[in-house]
Amino acid sequence: GARLAVIGGGFIGLELAATARTLGAEVVLVEGLPRVLSRGVPEEIAALVAERHQREGVEIVCGAQIAAIEEAGDGARLRLADGVNIEADLIVVAIGAVPNTELAEAAGLAIENGIAVDEMLCTSDPDIYAAGDCCSFPLPHYGGRRVRLEAWRNAQDQGVLAAANLTGARKTMASVPWFWSDQYEFTLQIAGLADGAQATVRRDMEEGAFILFHLDGEGRLLAASGIGPGNAVARDIRLAEMLIAAGAKPEPLALASPETRLKKLLAA
């Protein structure tokens, strides 16, 4: 019976909206960009997620600008720039995070979209390492492009790697970025980064699940984005992750055909 307003249509905002709706709350979600999940999620999948939320009764307002957040009795009021007022018992802001780099800056470390580290997670000071959401690092599978990932598996992998390298292991970061999110009965999984993709191939699977494979201009697999009930896409996304790590250039027709096992493409 409570009324919740969520600011931000990314993974956290949408997961919160789904959970709150399942628990019986009324939910309004406000997003400043033209669609939800704008960062890293293909429009085809984002539209499916938005439709599922709306079918559940979540009100989604995109392209909105916030004029003010005010107290209103025992609750709060969200005033939008177009004059619309949204009354709520609780407002949750889920618009992303700024990396905490103050200590690193005070130590004189290089900063570039977070604490800059090399492929071994070493900062500009050879005695200091950084790992997790606070650091940006080069991705070998994407030409050394520097990224900062806000995902638990990245933090876990980097924590292990930083600890090993602090003891002299000198191992390099080689994992492929991976993200996931649960929305009602759907699980969304993404391996790799689709920026720079020149072609997208769709593979339809059982139970309405599907995967989008993103290829560069030379046919190399850059990323795979999948959605379906439960773990419907989990195995193939994991295999796609391995194909990305191998620098594979699979045939588009083979990727599109559910009869072609990705494990076979990996072996080839």
Side-chain angles (χ1 to χ4, degrees), residues 10-268:
F11 284 142
I12 290 177
L14 287 164
E15 287 172 7
L16 176 62
T19 302
R21 195 72 192 98
T22 301
L23 293 172
E26 295 181 38
V27 181
V28 179
L29 185 142
V30 178
E31 167 59 49
L33 295 174
R35 69 169 175 91
V36 298
L37 296 173
S38 293
R39 191 175 74 169
V41 178
E43 187 170 356
E44 196 170 344
I45 291 179
L48 180 63
V49 172
E51 188 276 332
R52 181 66 184 88
H53 275 272
Q54 290 165 335
R55 186 153 38 95
E56 198 66 31
V58 175
E59 181 183 351
I60 297 178
V61 182
C62 289
Q65 292 185 337
I66 296 170
I69 298 175
E70 307 167 334
E71 290 189 29
D74 293 333
R77 178 183 300 113
L78 195 60
R79 284 203 295 113
L80 303 185
D82 61 5
V84 172
N85 290 332
I86 298 173
E87 308 285 340
D89 297 299
L90 179 68
I91 296 174
V92 177
V93 181
I95 57 173
V98 176
N100 186 337
T101 60
E102 287 85 352
L103 182 60
E105 289 177 39
L109 302 182
I111 305 296
E112 184 180 345
N113 184 28
I115 304 167
V117 298
D118 63 16
E119 65 276 6
M120 289 184 284
L121 302 182
C122 184
T123 69
S124 55
D125 184 316
D127 293 324
I128 302 177
Y129 287 69
D133 296 21
C134 70
C135 75
S136 66
F137 60 97
L139 277 174
H141 306 300
Y142 300 88
R145 170 187 168 191
R146 183 170 290 278
V147 300
R148 186 172 61 81
L149 299 179
E150 299 170 357
W152 71 264
R153 194 173 84 171
N154 176 67
Q156 176 177 278
D157 290 348
Q158 288 191 342
V160 172
L161 181 66
N165 286 340
L166 280 165
T167 60
R170 297 192 60 79
K171 295 180 179 179
T172 59
M173 189 75 186
S175 58
V176 172
W178 177 81
F179 314 90
W180 70 280
S181 177
D182 285 336
Q183 310 279 337
Y184 305 105
E185 74 278 13
F186 287 126
T187 294
L188 186 162
Q189 291 196 20
I190 297 174
L193 301 176
D195 300 7
Q198 300 295 313
T200 298
V201 177
R202 174 168 170 153
R203 171 183 288 225
D204 289 305
M205 306 166 71
E206 296 179 355
E207 303 179 88
F210 66 89
I211 295 178
L212 302 176
F213 296 99
H214 311 283
L215 310 170
D216 69 10
E218 298 178 352
R220 184 171 67 92
L221 184 62
L222 294 177
S225 313
I227 189 169
N231 291 320
V233 301
R235 184 186 62 183
D236 280 356
I237 289 292
R238 173 59 182 147
L239 290 167
E241 185 181 342
M242 296 167 72
L243 284 166
I244 295 166
K249 297 181 179 180
E251 285 293 330
L253 288 177
L255 289 176
S257 171
E259 285 76 35
T260 303
R261 298 177 62 190
L262 295 186
K263 195 171 184 178
K264 181 180 178 182
L265 299 181
L266 185 62

